[in-house]
Amino acid sequence: MACVWVWLYKQSFFRCNEFDSSNINVQFWYLLGDNYEAAVLTFVVIYQFINNGLMVNYGYIHRRSFFHNPALLCIAAGLFIMMSYAQLGPPSRLSCAFRVNCGTPSVLESLGYNKPNWYIQPYSNSIGHNVLPDYAKWTLWGYAIGNMVAGHIWQVVFVYGPVRTYLRKRFPLRRLKIKL
């Protein structure tokens, strides 16, 4: 997550467009997310949630891994594809429902997108949208995939794998021996 924030604050599209809450009507609290920071955070966290559903289902001694659970795999794949489309595709009903990769209709038209035929409450930030440039969408998606892979490597190598085996042998758990 820290790498994503460092990356974001180095981007030219973001500088001078940081979130400023001074012009937000707090009565519309859900509009506080109409900015790049919230969009970036949303995408990173949603991929982490999807990935966490897989990581905690590796199984171990008494349970099979998620590879053997077709329902979980279908749900995770469906959510991953849906969020990838919301992030990488043009503004759509899906992305605008999450208020990410979207904006005020007139601003979206000025960015070269078709005018949406559904209602979008006007965005409350100064630029009127939170659509990332194409290179930034793909870079952020790459960070999210890298984060997912790193999580699985951690789970397989450290939590269930050789590091755990080594540490259990090196520092055995001393149990209280009770005769029954």
Side-chain angles (χ1 to χ4, degrees):
M1 182 62 87
C3 294
V4 171
W5 287 120
V6 169
W7 167 79
L8 181 63
Y9 274 87
K10 291 181 178 182
Q11 302 304 307
S12 59
F13 71 87
F14 176 71
R15 300 308 293 177
C16 299
N17 291 319
E18 291 98 339
F19 176 62
D20 177 20
S21 64
S22 64
N23 61 354
I24 304 283
N25 182 354
V26 293
Q27 180 180 4
F28 301 108
W29 56 267
Y30 53 90
L31 299 179
L32 292 172
D34 292 345
N35 53 61
Y36 287 122
E37 295 96 323
V40 167
L41 180 66
T42 297
F43 286 125
V44 171
V45 169
I46 283 181
Y47 288 118
Q48 286 178 346
F49 282 145
I50 296 168
N51 193 41
N52 190 47
L54 298 174
M55 284 184 10
V56 300
N57 282 292
Y58 263 110
Y60 192 55
I61 296 171
H62 305 290
R63 193 164 49 108
R64 293 175 85 182
S65 177
F66 69 84
F67 300 120
H68 303 283
N69 187 343
L72 178 63
L73 288 175
C74 287
I75 290 169
L79 289 171
F80 181 78
I81 291 167
M82 181 180 80
M83 291 317 301
S84 293
Y85 176 74
Q87 178 181 359
L88 300 172
S92 64
R93 284 185 187 266
L94 175 63
S95 62
C96 290
F98 287 103
R99 291 193 73 86
V100 293
N101 195 25
C102 194
T104 304
S106 59
V107 176
L108 291 178
E109 273 187 302
S110 70
L111 293 173
Y113 298 106
N114 295 330
K115 184 175 182 177
N117 58 0
W118 61 89
Y119 176 74
I120 301 172
Q121 186 164 359
Y123 268 54
S124 59
N125 62 9
S126 59
I127 58 173
H129 71 90
N130 61 6
V131 179
L132 297 169
D134 285 339
Y135 79 90
K137 290 177 184 181
W138 284 100
T139 303
L140 182 61
W141 191 77
Y143 274 121
I145 298 302
N147 188 11
M148 292 171 76
V149 169
H152 285 280
I153 289 171
W154 176 266
Q155 195 77 4
V156 170
V157 174
F158 289 88
V159 176
Y160 293 134
V163 174
R164 176 185 182 189
T165 304
Y166 168 76
L167 291 174
R168 289 183 83 179
K169 287 180 182 175
R170 178 82 171 92
F171 305 104
L173 183 63
R174 295 185 182 139
R175 299 182 187 264
L176 181 62
K177 295 184 181 187
I178 300 175
K179 286 189 172 189
L180 296 177

